[in-house]
Amino acid sequence: MKHTINFLKIKLAVLFFAFLFFQSCPNGKAVKTISSIDQKYLYTMDGKKIKLPAEKDTTTTTFILVRHAEKGVNGKDPDLTPDGLQRADDLAEILKQIEVSHVFSTDYIRTKDTARPTAVDKGLPLDIYNPSNQNSLLGHMVMDPDYKNVLLVGHSNSIPAALNHLLATSVYENIDHEEYDNIYFVRTSDGEKTKLISLKY
Amino acid sequence: MQIENQMYKLTGGVDPLALCEKYACPLYVYDSAIMKRQYERMVNAFKVKNLKINYACKALSNINVIQYFNSLGAGLDTVSIQEVETGIKAGFEPQEIIYTPNCVSFAEIAEAVEAGVKINIDNISILEQFGQTYPNVPVCVRINPHIMAGGSSKISVGHIDSKFGISFHQVPHVKRIVEATGLKVEGLHMHTGSDILDSGVFLQGAEILFNIAREFKDLDYIDFGSGFKVPYKEGGVCTDIEDLGEKISTRFNNFCQEYGKDLTLMFEPGKFLVSEAGYFFVKVNVIKQTTANVFAGIDSGLNHLIRPMFYDSYHHIVNVSKPMGKTRIYTVVGYICETDTFGVNRKIAEIHEGDILGMHNAGAYCQTMSSNYNSRYRPAEVLVHEGKDYLIRKRETLNDLWRNQVETQLFSKVAAE
Ligand SMILES: Cc1ncc(COP(=O)(O)O)c(C=O)c1O
């Protein structure tokens, strides 16, 4: 097993705060430290109150993009290794405090198994998407207010392609074959610059 | 093709003259980067949860091109059992292929069912037979929305007098058949024509299909066909796919909410995906000056590219050998025994005998409509992919012309005794 529970908890907290931080600074102003949060606001140590995207905020979508976890070597549609299964559980754990509205996976065992623990945990269906046509889906989710925080599990080539599309760039290259620990938060909001934080989990 | 250092270049810096040298003229060349660009434009334009772009392989049916679209994630639109077989051979899953024939025999439709592809039915009589024979095989129904649209009467196929589709006035009849046989209607389809510029046509058609869709509860997809226009002339207009995408997507997404299901939005473009990717390179055999015209006579004709004669299509023509020469006026004609004019009074950089001319927009409905008229060989086809060239069809030989002819030996010239 790769992660101890404590280590995971620390990571989890870091990620969650990173996520909130990211959600809460639409103008890109740096928020130093978070003192507390409630449903609507995030309070900083220096006494500032920052509005979190409201329930009915119709224009903001946050994409949580990950490549599938460690895969085996069996055939064309391999499943996850024990490390991979653990990472899939870790992902669900990390996303525990984030309200995920949709979970999307490509139609492969390794991606579905990566997404499943989160979907189960959130009580959401596992939505299948076609990575070749993902720009159409991404465009739809950016426009449709129902999509708030979307987990999208894809592949070493399709995840960078999604980043390039959402951020209107071409700088993201295929993820290294041995790299499974990247997690990208991309926040799109009408009339604002799309933001990215990339972290490891 | 772009001009770089005073010479035409294909994507990746590939030199078309070198290809003509290597494979000889006349030659079809397809640039995969342009097919990809067009495919991605469509995917980016339509913002829906489930999108399927089915490549209409009638436009260009070389198996490598079909495989390329498969690799990009497209589905396949087919019109004949042979196209179905080619799609399967190319590696498509049968359910990624939609078969939209018209006026074919029921036996051919049965073959397509056997192959496991999606079936699109375009008349009541076949629908009835289908329902009786295959009550458990879901079908798509091709609706004629009675919209007059398209670049010319030959390619306008959705109007009231057209042979295509089931009139939307006959939907009650369709419903009776569905109820009587237990058929599942999984899709609705329309295709109003080719070379449609006006997004209003699609939107109008969409409303008609949505109205009908409300009557069928088991739909999985709605297919708006094709007809997107691409530029043929330099600076020519094309369907504003991005604008159309916004409008259709919004309307489609709203309809899905109303319908209570995320339907798949389908299109089946041919021309939009491949027209601009293709070039036809020919050699000038003769320059012929008459009192009225200067003709450039080329080593090809309506046997290889019939669109200018058949549809009055405009194909832009350039002098690939000497692009920077002083422009003069030419009428470019073929070698066939009837009038086969590729372009009248075109401004082209001065042409000398032996020069190579390049015709643009030769990807769609060019090679696939070619023939052996005048017992000429059909040209070779080359795919340019990531800076390299690949022969994807050999030039024909005399044996190809003779291959299926059966010599009966009935007639021989016997010398008189
Ligand atoms: C039913 C159908 N779908 C699609 C197409 C492709 O049209 P286009 O090449 O204009 O995209 C055609 C063209 O004839 C057609 O008849």
Side-chain angles (χ1 to χ4, degrees), chain A residues 85-140:
Chain A
L85 290 168
Q86 178 61 47
R87 188 183 294 285
D89 286 341
D90 291 355
L91 179 63
E93 201 55 34
I94 279 163
L95 299 176
K96 256 222 149 79
Q97 302 186 56
I98 295 171
E99 228 178 90
V100 173
S101 60
H102 294 80
V103 178
F104 279 89
S105 163
T106 62
D107 201 3
Y108 292 92
I109 295 171
R110 57 190 180 281
T111 40
K112 286 190 280 196
D113 282 358
T114 305
R116 191 171 292 106
T118 307
V120 169
D121 199 53
K122 306 290 181 192
L124 292 170
L126 193 54
D127 259 318
I128 302 299
Y129 75 101
N130 173 359
S132 325
N133 289 348
Q134 68 181 2
N135 289 0
S136 168
L137 173 68
L138 293 171
H140 170 51

Side-chain angles (χ1 to χ4, degrees), chain B residues 247-278:
Chain B
K247 289 177 178 153
I248 290 269
S249 308
T250 307
R251 190 61 196 91
F252 186 80
N253 290 327
N254 287 343
F255 179 76
C256 286
Q257 282 217 324
E258 177 198 324
Y259 192 76
K261 185 172 174 186
D262 287 314
L263 300 171
T264 296
L265 174 62
M266 279 189 189
F267 288 99
E268 48 192 37
K271 192 177 276 183
F272 189 82
L273 296 179
V274 296
S275 175
E276 293 164 279

